[in-house]
Amino acid sequence: MASQPQSAPSKFSESFDVLIVGAGHAGCEAAAAAARMGLRTALFTLNLDLIAQMSCNPAIGGVAKGHLVREVDALGGIMGEVADSCGIQFRLLNTSRGPAVWSPRAQCDKALYRTKMREKLESIPNLFIKQAEVVDLVIEEQGIGNREQGIASSSIDIDASLLPTPYSLLPRIQGVKLRDGRTISAKATIVTTGTFLNGLIHCGEQQYTAGRSGEPASVLLGESLKKLGLRETRLKTGTPPRLDGRTIDWSKFEEQPGDTDPTPFSFRSLQTLTNPGAPGPDSRTREEAAQSTWTPPLRQISCHIATTTPLTMQLIRDNAHRSPMYTGQIEGIGPRYCPSIEDKIVRFPDKLSHQFFLEPEGLNTHEVYINGMSTSLPQEVQSAMVRSIPGLENAEMLRPGYAIEYDAIDPTELDRTLRVKKFTGLYLAGQINGTSGYEEAACQGLIAGINAALFAKSSLLPVPCSVSPASFTLDRTEAYTGILIDDLISKGTDEPYRMFTSRAEFRLHLRIDNADSRLTPHGRRLGLIDDTAWAAFEAKQARLSALTQLLETTRLTDADLTTLMTSKLTPRDSTETLTPRNSGPQISTSSQPAAPLKGDLFAQLLKRPETTIESLIPALLPRLQANEIFTPWLRALGPEPWTLAPAIPAWVRNELKTVETGIKFAGYLAQQQRSMQRLRADEARTIPTWFDYRACSGLSREMVEKLDRIRPLTLGQASRLPGVTPAAVQLVQTFIEIQTRSQHGKQARTA
């Protein structure tokens, strides 16, 4: 059994500023962020060869998840770069809908992803990767000392009664203990254990402890964390069977190719295309210009689509009673939005079939992942289920699917920095916080890594100059990452949390194309964006600003009208539209809109639903050529003539679409800005840490217990707690004023 928490020993085997437990997707982002911020960082994992292992589907991104990857990249994270380097199929999803829900997705080479991530981590100075098992935390019971005393001795005049005294007296995590007996010190510790805490695998009637199939569970650390007194939950997730691709009749399935001109995750993947020093379009032929697109480094493949048959459905129904989900063998709660195949059959009995996807796990393996067929049925049932599908009659199953239960911490135990509120120096990120998915883990790891680094830096100061160390947080108006963290710390979760675009109140503002404009300045201030990336960012923003100004100040001339009509791209007489290389959204022109008039602003024309930014390029081209700021676009577009609908490279189209969205949806965006300002105003009204909810007459006992347990930092966060009414929030605001006046009165009498 793990040892009891105790006072820190006087001597440590090694010492680091930031220490991360677990090298999954959260741990990798946390370690990279802390090290790149200049902190001596250690990343501990059970197996160096399985860093960033893709335990489930070997894919990155998807609806809303792609937004998270873009945000991680915009802040300076590494998941997007690694995914771009080993993607074997790229698709931009939802392009038939509005830009708010466009989401990139990449099928990755599973083995290469691990290799590339390890290479990336090993290239970062200050980062040390260690193979060892962490079994316990080292706790200093008296915490970080009396901060009030440190402040009193300084020249800063702070009202002592308003100090968050609980923080100053919290116990501090000083490091970890390893199974081999060593003790490692750290100023900040991040736990990112994924599904390894007391992990238990189920496959039919069989069950055994494991963190993943073939890997040991983290039992000792799991028991140690229980002694911290944190509220816990038991969750469940699962994987599908893997097949030998050589035994599949691929001709029986519908092919699903990727985009011919793909969109990368990382903004930095486009830096070579946007280099303003490269030759201009006049010196290149159209064939050469066509190479000014982003090209994935690996050979691209197709996935395939299939559906269950009546026999498949019957096999599952006949054996559902053998699934550990329905025998009572599994206690944990599974993901609502990614159910097992047997759960789909039981929950949706009227559905005649279910779709799934056959996705190769890499270029150098025949292993195929069955996306959509997660199951924990007995192995022989899984085999029969697979072979009931035409094309898989002879398929050999390499690995059976299974379900895994694991311990997680109630995320309401955390604050917005992902610090455990009962301790200082302890942060949690990833599935331990009740989330599902690589992308949800990565964005948490990045935020935890940043805040652990900031905390460690503050610990290096000779005299603390503030009550709490510097921190970095994102709110619901800034990023999907902020929404995810706010949902977790405010509402908690009783099932693995998955991000959806529907969770965002301001999703027209939180798009994938503007993630850099929202977050890259933050990353630069934190030291996560290097000079090259920052220069590319500034150049892109300058292009977008210049084009916006051009559209909003330039009026149509007779020559422009002639050009638009000649190119057959005017809404008046065109039945075809400009189609990007990877089949972006298309506008139908079945009706006869009014023709554009001489003297109209280009922006006015662009506001029309039937007009796209691409259709205006022929008329705008001479003006673009007159400004060298547009050289990267012109180099990619190639020379004139533009009399026919050209194929615009995806990266150019995506930048143009950012401008189009800003102009076409200006009214909606302005309305969202007003709503965002109201939300920010609520977030600015802080709730003092000393506030006593029990003194608020009028609050129900349930509300008092919930507010006192979660301790929301702002009235905005309080308003989002389940069961807390607007009237209760108004009552809290009133009593904050009353208790503040009371505090000030006590100080005056004492003086």
Side-chain angles (χ1 to χ4, degrees):
M1 294 296 292
S3 59
Q4 291 281 356
Q6 54 187 289
S7 298
S10 58
K11 188 174 181 180
F12 292 94
S13 302
E14 287 186 273
S15 180
F16 297 93
D17 296 322
V18 178
L19 186 149
I20 297 94
V21 182
H25 303 279
C28 290
E29 292 292 346
R36 291 165 71 184
M37 290 174 69
L39 281 301
R40 180 177 162 84
T41 305
L43 176 63
F44 281 86
T45 177
L46 291 171
N47 191 336
L48 287 173
D49 297 325
L50 295 176
I51 289 174
Q53 168 77 326
M54 300 177 112
S55 310
C56 195
N57 185 10
I60 297 294
V63 177
K65 292 173 177 286
H67 288 70
L68 292 175
V69 182
R70 272 292 177 94
E71 291 178 355
V72 166
D73 182 75
L75 276 171
I78 57 178
M79 173 177 270
E81 288 183 88
V82 175
D84 287 346
S85 70
C86 59
I88 55 179
Q89 187 198 76
F90 291 84
R91 296 178 63 219
L92 188 61
L93 308 180
N94 280 343
T95 54
S96 62
R97 303 173 62 190
V101 293
W102 291 8
S103 294
R105 182 185 187 273
Q107 188 75 12
C108 295
D109 187 302
K110 182 176 181 177
L112 187 59
Y113 189 93
R114 295 195 307 262
T115 302
K116 291 290 185 181
M117 182 63 78
R118 182 170 176 178
E119 288 177 359
K120 185 70 176 178
L121 294 175
E122 290 179 340
S123 71
I124 300 174
N126 304 315
L127 178 55
F128 304 88
I129 306 174
K130 309 279 187 175
Q131 180 168 301
E133 182 181 357
V134 174
V135 297
D136 204 353
L137 300 175
V138 179
I139 303 176
E140 180 188 45
E141 293 295 348
Q142 293 186 355
I144 58 176
N146 193 322
R147 293 244 180 192
E148 294 92 331
Q149 182 179 356
I151 293 171
S153 63
S154 71
S155 60
I156 302 175
D157 184 18
I158 295 180
D159 186 347
S161 67
L162 300 181
L163 291 173
T165 52
Y167 179 88
S168 66
L169 299 177
L170 289 175
R172 175 176 176 173
I173 303 301
Q174 284 199 309
V176 301
K177 293 182 180 180
L178 306 182
R179 188 162 191 166
D180 60 19
R182 289 180 293 158
T183 304
I184 313 296
S185 77
K187 296 178 177 63
T189 301
I190 308 172
V191 179
T192 66
T193 47
T195 61
F196 278 70
L197 287 183
N198 291 313
L200 184 65
I201 281 182
H202 302 266
C203 185
E205 294 82 3
Q206 294 182 336
Q207 60 178 1
Y208 54 93
T209 60
R212 278 189 296 248
S213 181
E215 298 179 60
S218 186
V219 178
L220 297 178
L221 181 59
E223 294 304 311
S224 298
L225 289 176
K226 288 183 178 180
K227 296 171 185 175
L228 296 181
L230 306 177
R231 291 182 298 276
E232 292 187 335
T233 185
R234 188 80 169 159
L235 299 177
K236 167 257 175 189
T237 187
T239 69
R242 268 70 161 185
L243 307 179
D244 186 337
R246 295 169 296 184
T247 62
I248 296 174
D249 183 355
W250 295 102
S251 65
K252 299 289 183 66
F253 302 102
E254 177 188 348
E255 184 178 5
Q256 185 187 53
D259 295 337
T260 55
D261 183 9
T263 297
F265 284 106
S266 178
F267 294 99
R268 292 181 284 282
S269 294
L270 298 173
Q271 286 176 185
T272 56
L273 302 178
T274 58
N275 178 9
D282 294 340
S283 62
R284 309 181 65 182
T285 65
R286 177 169 293 279
E287 289 73 23
E288 291 172 327
Q291 297 176 11
S292 291
T293 61
W294 180 74
T295 304
L298 299 182
R299 175 172 60 86
Q300 300 296 286
I301 55 91
S302 290
C303 297
H304 290 77
I305 306 172
T307 57
T308 56
T309 65
L311 177 57
T312 314
M313 307 282 276
Q314 191 59 47
L315 277 168
I316 296 171
R317 290 192 192 96
D318 292 345
N319 291 278
H321 66 282
R322 299 182 64 190
S323 169
M325 290 184 59
Y326 300 105
T327 62
Q329 187 173 307
I330 291 180
E331 299 176 359
I333 301 173
R336 179 196 308 255
Y337 303 105
C338 188
S340 65
I341 186 66
E342 59 263 35
D343 203 21
K344 291 178 186 178
I345 301 301
V346 172
R347 287 167 55 184
F348 308 105
D350 297 331
K351 194 169 177 62
L352 299 179
S353 65
H354 293 273
Q355 189 178 72
F356 60 92
F357 302 86
L358 298 174
E359 301 176 341
E361 296 218 338
L363 298 179
N364 298 314
T365 179
H366 295 289
E367 191 168 352
V368 174
Y369 177 95
I370 313 181
N371 190 353
M373 197 180 276
S374 175
T375 182
S376 58
L377 286 165
Q379 186 166 341
E380 66 273 14
V381 178
Q382 294 186 38
S383 181
M385 181 173 65
V386 166
R387 295 189 174 190
S388 68
I389 297 166
L392 300 181
E393 298 94 341
N394 300 311
E396 290 293 331
M397 190 166 65
L398 299 178
R399 315 180 200 219
Y402 62 85
I404 181 168
E405 283 186 284
Y406 56 96
D407 288 343
I409 303 299
D410 184 341
T412 61
E413 293 277 12
L414 309 175
D415 66 14
R416 201 174 292 276
T417 68
L418 298 181
R419 177 183 66 86
V420 177
K421 291 185 286 189
K422 294 178 181 178
F423 298 88
T424 60
L426 178 60
Y427 299 80
L428 307 181
Q431 284 181 282
I432 191 174
N433 291 340
T435 58
S436 67
Y438 313 141
E439 303 81 4
E440 288 88 345
C443 70
Q444 292 177 73
L446 181 59
I447 297 300
I450 290 170
N451 283 292
L454 292 173
F455 176 83
K457 285 185 176 181
S458 71
S459 300
L460 297 173
L461 297 176
V463 177
C465 60
S466 62
V467 174
S468 60
S471 62
F472 173 74
T473 61
L474 295 169
D475 63 36
R476 302 183 73 88
T477 69
E478 294 179 283
Y480 275 83
T481 301
I483 294 168
L484 180 146
I485 293 175
D486 183 68
D487 282 349
L488 290 176
I489 67 171
S490 300
K491 304 173 184 177
T493 183
D494 56 3
E495 63 186 38
Y497 179 99
R498 180 177 179 176
M499 178 52 69
F500 292 101
T501 54
S502 59
R503 297 188 189 273
E505 301 93 329
F506 311 110
R507 57 181 174 269
L508 184 57
H509 172 65
L510 305 178
R511 308 185 308 275
I512 61 167
D513 61 279
N514 69 355
D516 55 344
S517 63
R518 290 184 279 118
L519 301 176
T520 296
H522 291 310
R524 178 66 171 178
R525 286 192 295 271
L526 291 164
L528 298 176
I529 301 294
D530 62 26
D531 292 342
T532 303
W534 182 247
F537 166 77
E538 289 187 312
K540 175 188 172 184
Q541 299 309 307
R543 288 194 297 274
L544 302 185
S545 178
L547 181 59
T548 301
Q549 184 178 14
L550 177 65
L551 293 168
E552 292 179 341
T553 59
T554 306
R555 297 186 181 277
L556 291 162
T557 65
D558 288 331
D560 295 327
L561 295 174
T562 301
T563 300
L564 293 175
M565 293 181 65
T566 302
S567 64
K568 298 182 180 181
L569 294 173
T570 52
R572 181 178 61 172
D573 61 0
S574 174
T575 56
E576 61 182 47
T577 60
L578 191 64
T579 305
R581 281 191 176 95
N582 62 343
S583 301
Q586 302 184 27
I587 304 294
S588 173
T589 56
S590 56
S591 60
Q592 294 291 328
L597 300 175
K598 178 182 177 181
D600 286 350
L601 290 170
F602 275 91
Q604 288 178 285
L605 182 57
L606 187 57
K607 285 180 181 288
R608 299 184 179 189
E610 70 276 3
T611 305
T612 65
I613 186 72
E614 300 98 325
S615 67
L616 302 181
I617 291 295
L620 290 171
L621 196 59
R623 299 172 177 91
L624 298 180
Q625 291 170 333
N627 191 339
E628 65 178 9
I629 202 171
F630 300 119
T631 298
W633 291 347
L634 297 171
R635 187 173 61 250
L637 293 174
E640 296 184 73
W642 271 62
T643 54
L644 298 176
I648 296 183
W651 73 269
V652 177
R653 180 213 59 192
N654 292 339
E655 291 191 5
L656 295 174
K657 284 297 181 183
T658 300
V659 175
E660 177 182 338
T661 301
I663 292 175
K664 194 180 290 288
F665 299 102
Y668 295 103
L669 287 168
Q671 185 180 32
Q672 285 199 357
Q673 285 290 346
R674 291 190 291 270
S675 299
M676 288 160 59
Q677 289 172 1
R678 289 192 294 269
L679 179 58
R680 290 190 188 112
D682 287 340
E683 294 299 329
R685 293 146 75 184
T686 59
I687 302 175
T689 55
W690 46 259
F691 183 72
D692 185 5
Y693 292 101
R694 293 166 295 181
C696 295
S697 57
L699 289 179
S700 68
R701 180 179 298 177
E702 178 187 1
M703 287 186 190
V704 169
E705 290 177 354
K706 183 168 295 184
L707 289 164
D708 202 43
R709 173 169 59 87
I710 296 177
R711 305 296 302 181
L713 298 177
T714 66
L715 290 176
Q717 184 184 353
S719 69
R720 293 188 292 275
L721 301 185
V724 176
T725 64
V729 175
Q730 187 64 42
L731 193 62
V732 169
Q733 182 180 7
T734 301
F735 273 91
I736 288 174
E737 297 172 359
I738 294 172
Q739 292 188 25
T740 300
R741 287 196 297 269
S742 176
Q743 288 275 1
H744 286 199
K746 290 179 182 178
Q747 293 171 30
R749 288 192 295 272
T750 302

